[in-house]
Each structure stands twice: as structure tokens, then as C-alpha cells.
């Protein structure tokens, strides 16, 4: 374990993406580049795990990208072909990691990584956690009413805000940069405070859109 309390996990195959994948999220990934097909074959022959990080600048295809140093370990839960040399890989986020050192991209990206546990500090009480989930449901319901494609407001989360706060980051109508901010926040109290702030911003914009829509309906009447 490092001086900062981060446990060294070793070397992981890495899949840089243009989106943020958080712990507890279950998402499909499309694999078509030859280098990631090679990675996938190695992963499936091993422990079915690899790391995912956000690309800050550049493209998912072809390399030459600039990557963040905080990401998520994922476990393959389903693998199915969809065409010749194309696969859908359903993965589940398991834990947060930090990249200690990027290694060669030949034949595919790899990095030395460590776990990124929460720092000690204040937690979130049951009422605060309940209120945050309620605010998320409210915002998702309003955005759905406005015609946006968002997660269902009827989502169910448990009573644990530590991992639940990551799940809310994945469910919320946030940009990838904002999701990355949540992922990088080291403590549950800070994550929930940031989520509250982000939801307030989204709710304010939604109210403006609702008001504009009502004015337009009134002028047509």
C-alpha cells in the first residue's frame, strides 16, 4: 500500500473512452478496433477485468489521445458479436482507480494502477441521502416531460451513499466532465455536495425551459 493509502493493483489493460464509466454502472461497449479485439481476447482468457478512463482530448479511435488519470475497473458480464469483427461487451464498474504510470500502447493500452478508496471524513446521514435521491428523481421527471432522453425517475438505489453517489453520477443528466469531477472527489460527503450543486444547476435550466414553453403556448393561445 502506498503512503497515501492507495493499494497498488498492478498492471491492467486499459480502454480509454469518450465517456465516463463509474463504479456500479452497467453499460455496453462497442469493440471494433483490432487492438481492442486483441485486448478483449486477453481479458476473456484471464480475469475478465480491465480499466476504463476518460479521454480528455483526442479520439477513441487510432490513439494519440490525452487521458485522465482517474478511472474505473470493469468486469465483463456479457460478450456478444454483432457483426464481423464487431462486439458488444457489457461491463460492470467495480472500483475506482488512479493511473500511476501509462505503459506502452503496443499491442493495446496498459497502465500501472492503484485503487482509489474514499478518504476518511464526514459521511452523509440517512435523511440527506434520501433528499438527494428525491432531487434526482424530480430532475429526471422534469427533463423527461421536456422530451429529453434521460434515465428513468423510478430508479432504485440502496441506503449506502458511498457507492450510491457514484451511481447517481452515472444516472444524472450531467456532462462527462462533471461526471469525472464526481468520480475524482475523494470523499462521499464531497461527492454528494457536488451532486447537489450539479442537480441545482440542471433544475434551474429546466425551469427556464419550462417557462419558455409555457410562454410560447400562451402566445399561441
Amino acid at each position: 500500500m502506498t503512503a497515501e493509502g492507495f493499494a497498488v493493483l498492478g498492471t491492467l489493460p486499459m480502454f480509454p473512452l469518450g465517456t465516463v464509466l463509474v463504479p456500479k454502472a452497467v453499460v455496453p461497449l462497442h469493440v471494433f478496433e483490432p487492438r481492442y479485439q486483441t485486448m478483449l481476447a486477453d481479458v476473456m482468457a484471464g480475469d475478465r477485468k480491465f480499466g476504463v478512463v476518460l479521454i480528455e482530448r483526442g479520439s477513441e479511435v487510432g490513439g494519440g489521445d490525452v487521458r485522465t488519470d482517474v478511472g474505473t475497473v470493469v468486469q465483463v458480464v456479457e460478450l456478444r458479436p454483432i457483426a464481423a469483427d464487431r462486439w458488444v461487451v457489457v461491463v460492470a464498474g467495480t472500483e475506482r482507480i488512479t493511473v500511476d504510470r501509462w505503459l506502452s500502447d503496443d499491442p493495446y493500452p496498459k497502465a500501472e494502477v492503484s485503487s482509489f478508496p474514499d478518504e476518511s471524513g464526514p459521511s452523509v446521514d440517512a435523511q440527506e441521502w434520501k433528499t438527494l435521491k428525491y432531487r434526482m428523481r424530480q430532475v429526471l421527471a422534469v427533463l423527461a416531460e421536456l422530451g429529453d432522453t434521460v434515465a428513468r425517475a423510478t430508479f432504485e438505489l440502496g441506503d449506502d451513499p458511498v457507492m450510491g453517489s457514484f451511481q447517481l453520477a452515472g444516472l444524472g443528466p450531467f456532462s462527462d466532465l462533471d461526471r469525472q469531477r464526481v468520480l475524482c472527489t475523494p470523499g462521499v460527503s464531497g461527492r454528494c455536495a457536488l451532486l447537489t450543486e450539479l442537480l441545482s444547476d440542471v433544475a434551474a435550466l429546466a425551469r427556464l425551459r419550462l417557462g419558455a414553453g409555457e410562454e410560447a403556448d400562451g402566445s399561441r393561445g
Side-chain angles (χ1 to χ4, degrees):
M1 186 166 292
T2 66
E4 295 82 6
F6 289 16
V8 176
L9 298 180
T11 300
L12 271 183
M14 301 296 291
F15 197 165
L17 291 174
T19 58
V20 176
L21 198 157
V22 295
K24 289 293 186 179
V26 177
V27 298
L29 303 177
H30 291 265
V31 176
F32 56 90
E33 277 195 85
R35 58 179 177 159
Y36 292 121
Q37 292 185 39
T38 300
M39 183 194 82
L40 187 58
D42 290 349
V43 164
M44 296 305 292
D47 60 6
R48 301 167 69 100
K49 292 181 179 181
F50 58 94
V52 173
V53 292
L54 175 68
I55 295 172
E56 289 186 298
R57 294 191 302 277
S59 170
E60 293 180 11
V61 180
D65 47 68
V66 177
R67 306 157 185 168
T68 60
D69 60 2
V70 174
T72 302
V73 176
V74 300
Q75 176 101 38
V76 177
V77 296
E78 184 181 354
L79 174 65
R80 61 179 183 269
I82 55 174
D85 299 325
R86 282 181 176 266
W87 298 80
V88 169
V89 186
V90 180
V91 298
T94 61
E95 66 175 301
R96 182 172 56 173
I97 55 172
T98 182
V99 174
D100 301 319
R101 185 165 71 97
W102 284 99
L103 304 176
S104 171
D105 275 11
D106 184 18
Y108 49 77
K110 295 178 289 294
E112 294 175 353
V113 304
S114 297
S115 65
F116 186 171
D118 269 356
E119 65 183 9
S120 59
S123 186
V124 175
D125 66 36
Q127 185 57 49
E128 289 175 315
W129 178 233
K130 183 178 179 180
T131 299
L132 180 56
K133 290 188 289 184
Y134 176 71
R135 286 176 177 168
M136 178 69 79
R137 291 190 178 97
Q138 281 186 310
V139 168
L140 291 176
V142 169
L143 292 178
E145 181 182 340
L146 286 166
D148 293 359
T149 301
V150 292
R152 292 181 180 273
T154 54
F155 68 84
E156 290 296 331
L157 289 183
D159 296 328
D160 176 18
V162 174
M163 296 306 289
S165 55
F166 288 125
Q167 290 175 276
L168 285 183
L171 288 167
F174 310 132
S175 69
D176 283 305
L177 290 179
D178 282 335
R179 283 197 182 92
Q180 186 69 20
R181 289 173 62 199
V182 178
L183 183 64
C184 292
T185 302
V188 61
S189 178
R191 277 198 303 280
C192 288
L194 177 55
L195 285 166
T196 299
E197 176 187 328
L198 294 173
L199 281 173
S200 295
D201 291 343
V202 174
L205 289 174
R207 285 193 295 271
L208 288 174
R209 292 170 61 191
L210 281 172
E214 290 170 357
E215 289 178 7
D217 290 341
S219 64
R220 285 195 292 268

